[in-house]
Amino acid sequence: MLGKYVGQMVELVYMDRAGQITQRQIRINRIRGGMIRASDGKEGAPRTFLEQNILAWRPVTVQDRKGGMKHAERL
């Protein structure tokens, strides 16, 4: 589902291995075998996410980057 957003910014709600839920903006670099390689939207640090642990996502628009927030799309 997120494959069409490679190279773009998305906002996601994610559950990590410890069960903590976080919300962050990332730039998707690659998706392969259920793993998403991305850059953190704020720091640019490399991150890896398991696709199965993404609870919700949505593409980030220019307005979103200015602080506005809309809805998230569920997987």
Side-chain angles (χ1 to χ4, degrees):
M1 289 187 133
L2 290 170
K4 69 180 183 179
Y5 295 104
V6 171
Q8 296 182 39
M9 293 289 291
V10 297
E11 185 168 9
L12 56 83
V13 178
Y14 184 79
M15 184 172 56
D16 67 15
R17 285 180 272 173
Q20 297 232 9
I21 296 176
T22 62
Q23 181 175 353
R24 63 177 66 228
Q25 290 185 359
I26 61 169
R27 180 172 306 278
I28 298 175
N29 299 324
R30 178 175 50 156
I31 301 174
R32 185 180 300 162
M35 297 191 67
I36 298 170
R37 304 279 179 164
S39 302
D40 188 278
K42 292 181 181 177
E43 303 168 9
R47 304 275 185 201
T48 302
F49 300 92
L50 292 175
E51 199 166 13
Q52 68 190 26
N53 289 354
I54 296 175
L55 305 175
W57 64 273
R58 69 182 179 93
V60 173
T61 65
V62 174
Q63 181 181 3
D64 296 332
R65 293 182 192 172
K66 293 179 182 176
M69 194 166 167
K70 297 194 172 57
H71 65 280
E73 184 173 331
R74 294 198 47 83
L75 289 176

